Amino acid sequence: MAQSLTKEARLARAKFRAWHRGTREADYMIGGFLDRYSKDWDEADLAWFEALLDEDDVDIMAWALGTQPIPDAFTGPQMDAMRKLDYVDIPR
């Protein structure tokens, strides 16, 4: 299904899914990651993120915070960037 959409449409859908996770903490972590890094993503990076969005928030956050081992499918440079947590700009 995602393959039939343009990259722009896939990014728009991913942005909505990333910023509407169900908790503010997950929204900031996952949505903030997309906002910070997605402009440089190629097809493989976007596919990785789309797969990540199918995972449970508690697992994604645990992997990013280092409290659970990261599954092989999600290890690599993007998870390394997510683990830095230097991208979240929280409006005040």
Side-chain angles (χ1 to χ4, degrees), residues 47-76:
W48 178 91
F49 190 74
E50 289 170 324
L52 186 75
L53 290 173
D54 290 335
E55 300 296 321
D56 291 334
D57 295 348
V58 293
D59 293 329
I60 297 169
M61 294 178 74
W63 302 332
L65 296 171
T67 59
Q68 284 185 14
I70 304 165
D72 291 342
F74 296 111
T75 60

Side-chain angles (χ1 to χ4, degrees), residues 15 31-32 35 55-56 64 84:
K15 182 170 186 156
D35 287 353
E55 300 296 321
D56 291 334
K84 288 181 185 177

Side-chain angles (χ1 to χ4, degrees), residues 7-85:
K7 183 177 180 183
E8 293 76 22
R10 289 171 61 202
L11 278 168
R13 183 164 71 177
K15 182 170 186 156
F16 181 86
R17 291 183 67 201
W19 277 105
H20 295 87
R21 300 301 294 181
T23 65
R24 181 172 287 178
E25 294 82 0
D27 290 351
Y28 282 137
M29 178 181 284
I30 300 165
F33 177 79
L34 177 133
D35 287 353
R36 171 75 159 72
Y37 293 105
S38 65
K39 68 180 175 4
D40 297 323
W41 287 351
D42 61 17
E43 173 62 32
D45 295 329
L46 178 54
W48 178 91
F49 190 74
E50 289 170 324
L52 186 75
L53 290 173
D54 290 335
E55 300 296 321
D56 291 334
D57 295 348
V58 293
D59 293 329
I60 297 169
M61 294 178 74
W63 302 332
L65 296 171
T67 59
Q68 284 185 14
I70 304 165
D72 291 342
F74 296 111
T75 60
Q78 282 189 269
M79 185 56 73
D80 293 344
M82 184 174 268
R83 294 192 72 192
K84 288 181 185 177
L85 296 177

